Amino acid sequence: MTDSATGRDEGISEGRIETLRAVRGMNDIFPDEAEVWLSFEAIVRDWLARYGYRNMRTPLLEHTALFRRSIGAVTDIVEKEMYSFTDALNDEHLSLRPEATASTVRAAVEHSFLYGGPQRVWYTGPMFRHEKPQRGRYRQFHQVGAEALGFAGPDVDAELLVMCARLWSELGLTDIRLQLNSLGNLAERRAHRAALVRFLTDHVADLDADSRRRLETNPLRVLDSKNPAMQSMIEAAPRLLDFLGDESLRHFDAVRAMITEAGVAYDVNPRLVRGLDYYNLTVFEWVTDRLGAQGTVCGGGRYDGLFEHIGGKPTPAAGFAMGVERLIDLMRGADRLPAVRLPDVYLVHMGERADRFAIRVGEALRDARLAVLTHAGGGRFRDQMKRADASGARVAVIVGDDEADAGQVSVKDLRSGEPQTAVALVDAPGFIRRLTAQAQSTPQTGTT
Ligand code: ATP
Ligand code: MG
């Protein structure tokens, strides 16, 4: 809360006003960059629609208990990455969402969303994790996620993977590889866990402090450790895959056969356990070498137990979440950035009657679907024309009092050096369209 008596927390001390900055690890996205986000989002929306996934939105704040129960109390996210606080007004324990699968399932259970049958949904938005900020790792970051709720078969697991592969290709991204594993069922994980605990206990000297603690609480998590010093020991640990029974193996094999049919290549990674507790059977990550240490762009899998954990009926489900910042970083590296949309028209106006007429001109051109940047703030004709050139618009539409009186505009092609042409306002959209159509038929740089 703000110490309003002293103004200290408002950055005011002894009359000096400090510059306020964004919270560490949280990014401002300016228009040039936001253009890339919009184009990414447009591709994503179209892609999801083609697979029948429907958009869904849940709150950014949830009860902390939701994440403790779903993600698991003994995970990096819940132990040290959540923005949790007590709402002073009613003593509720709340957290900013670190991911959105838990919220999606919570909402589905709360509102009997699966009453009429299974549902495919997707979401996008900011997630919050108190991590050490670095390239590809932020405290507020964004995910696009898809969840297939109420589907048990390996077919939707395969669908989710095939979908991802298609998105990478539609984004123009190569060099993203699929790592696949199966976590089996509860009994299989228990049997593996017993063997793993025996193994880790024998190698306790090689474990870091986190892993020693996890040996007691959640030994599978030890396999998820990124500590380089422990990798060779982790390599030698008992593999969960070797504990799978027939049913789990059949599921795994079916997923593999279907994605192979679709031409999706993968590697089986028996060490892949994912950072959250709720997964079973299929788990996967899409990884690239092009982003340094933050190479995982998407992760997901099957979470058949989650509905029950949250108080719902047993309901099979699977999904994935991808990191938007990491994918956009990859798009930049792959030179797949969209062309910035430039205005078609810069509207220059001078004179009292012209200033009023210009409002009408702008609206008439926009009625014809043209993008019009209207000069604002007055100034000399020459300066307005300079702004017109700098705007990147193809055409300047010029209005003076004479034009206003005649119901005309002057159109100047900013790239041809041709003299301007006077046209009636009603004819202006067609005239400008013909000029911009010519511009479009000449190849532009920067388009993809
Ligand atoms: P990592 O191992 O990189 O921490 P994670 O396993 O914690 O990832 P998930 O919870 O599976 O990540 O989230 C799915 C995706 O969201 C990740 O693959 C990644 O692309 C992205 N992501 C996760 N945490 C961050 C973060 N702090 N900043 C940016 N992107 C992130
Ligand atoms: Mg993480």
Side-chain angles (χ1 to χ4, degrees):
M1 286 283 114
T2 302
D3 188 347
S4 53
T6 63
R8 205 181 53 219
D9 289 351
E10 288 177 354
I12 303 169
S13 61
E14 290 163 14
R16 244 193 75 247
I17 299 181
E18 295 161 32
T19 317
L20 293 172
R21 311 179 117 256
V23 176
R24 190 161 126 80
M26 307 207 176
N27 300 313
D28 300 306
I29 300 173
F30 284 93
D32 277 349
E33 169 97 19
E35 294 269 356
V36 182
W37 282 68
L38 287 173
S39 113
F40 171 84
E41 286 159 6
I43 292 170
V44 158
R45 272 203 296 277
D46 179 61
W47 159 71
L48 287 157
R50 274 180 284 144
Y51 285 90
Y53 285 72
R54 296 169 69 213
N55 184 233
M56 170 154 176
R57 299 163 193 231
T58 59
L60 301 194
L61 271 181
E62 295 276 358
H63 293 288
T64 301
L66 172 66
F67 302 117
R68 296 185 63 87
R69 269 205 257 161
S70 58
I71 297 169
V74 194
T75 55
D76 276 350
I77 293 180
V78 170
E79 281 183 331
K80 44 192 187 198
E81 296 174 1
M82 283 218 292
Y83 284 93
S84 299
F85 60 96
T86 307
D87 183 339
L89 298 178
N90 59 6
D91 262 349
E92 285 185 319
H93 297 283
L94 304 178
S95 294
L96 283 167
R97 65 180 188 190
E99 53 103 55
T101 301
S103 312
T104 304
V105 171
R106 193 264 314 134
V109 170
E110 186 173 339
H111 301 284
S112 308
F113 181 51
L114 302 191
Y115 182 76
Q119 297 276 357
R120 290 174 167 92
V121 296
W122 71 275
Y123 58 79
T124 187
M127 309 293 158
F128 303 86
R129 298 184 193 178
H130 194 106
E131 305 197 63
K132 190 166 156 248
Q134 52 200 291
R135 179 180 177 188
R137 194 175 292 288
Y138 309 101
R139 291 180 175 176
Q140 175 177 311
F141 64 100
H142 298 74
Q143 288 183 337
V144 169
E147 316 286 358
L149 308 174
F151 296 93
D155 47 2
V156 292
D157 304 20
E159 172 178 283
L160 290 162
L161 292 168
V162 170
M163 275 170 80
C164 289
R166 175 181 292 279
L167 180 63
W168 313 146
S169 104
E170 294 189 358
L171 291 172
L173 304 178
T174 49
D175 296 331
I176 301 179
R177 295 183 322 277
L178 173 59
Q179 303 211 333
L180 195 61
N181 192 20
S182 174
L183 298 182
N185 63 30
L186 198 57
E188 290 153 5
R189 281 199 298 282
R190 282 205 179 118
H192 168 255
R193 181 191 160 117
L196 182 63
V197 169
R198 276 195 302 277
F199 174 88
L200 293 175
T201 310
D202 288 345
H203 294 79
V204 74
D206 298 335
L207 299 183
D208 60 20
D210 256 1
S211 298
R212 263 179 224 182
R213 200 162 39 81
R214 283 178 179 180
L215 174 55
E216 312 293 325
T217 51
N218 192 345
L220 199 58
R221 283 281 79 77
V222 176
L223 301 181
D224 203 27
S225 165
K226 303 253 156 57
N227 184 346
M230 286 173 33
Q231 292 314 306
S232 66
M233 188 270 300
I234 287 174
E235 281 297 313
R239 298 157 25 128
L240 180 43
L241 267 185
D242 298 328
F243 288 76
L244 297 193
D246 285 348
E247 213 181 310
S248 296
L249 280 175
R250 260 203 311 280
H251 190 107
F252 194 41
D253 290 342
V255 174
R256 295 171 63 171
M258 283 186 260
I259 64 173
T260 302
E261 181 75 25
V264 175
Y266 64 91
D267 291 314
V268 172
N269 176 359
R271 311 289 153 199
L272 182 67
V273 297
R274 308 272 306 120
L276 302 85
D277 271 358
Y278 51 57
Y279 289 107
N280 67 304
L281 292 171
T282 315
V283 287
F284 58 86
E285 285 187 354
W286 291 89
V287 295
T288 177
D289 292 331
R290 299 196 168 215
L291 293 175
Q294 273 57 250
T296 307
V297 294
C298 176
R302 179 154 284 285
Y303 50 87
D304 294 334
L306 184 56
F307 275 72
E308 280 169 278
H309 260 72
I310 292 179
K313 286 195 279 251
T315 307
F320 59 69
M322 55 187 67
V324 177
E325 283 82 356
R326 292 183 194 180
L327 286 168
I328 285 179
D329 200 354
L330 275 183
M331 286 168 73
R332 198 176 287 113
D335 216 8
R336 288 293 295 216
L337 302 186
V340 171
R341 181 168 182 196
L342 299 173
D344 300 308
V345 173
Y346 194 92
L347 180 52
V348 168
H349 52 99
M350 276 204 79
E352 208 177 306
R353 297 191 299 288
D355 292 347
R356 280 201 306 278
F357 185 53
I359 295 273
R360 249 204 307 136
V361 172
E363 292 312 296
L365 298 177
R366 292 183 191 107
D367 283 346
R369 314 293 307 165
L370 290 164
V372 181
L373 199 55
T374 303
H375 182 82
R380 295 183 301 172
F381 177 73
R382 235 184 42 174
D383 294 334
Q384 292 198 29
M385 286 306 285
K386 268 193 203 150
R387 292 275 185 95
D389 277 324
S391 76
R394 166 73 194 205
V395 157
V397 166
I398 301 157
V399 184
D401 283 342
D402 292 348
E403 279 93 348
D405 296 342
Q408 284 189 338
V409 298
S410 294
V411 180
K412 178 156 177 57
D413 185 339
L414 289 170
R415 291 189 213 153
S416 73
E418 300 273 316
Q420 61 196 52
T421 314
V423 286
L425 176 54
V426 285
D427 298 329
F431 187 85
I432 293 165
R433 276 268 171 254
R434 281 191 293 281
L435 284 178
T436 51
Q438 280 166 28
Q440 264 150 26
S441 59
T442 10
Q444 298 276 297
T445 51
T447 36
T448 49

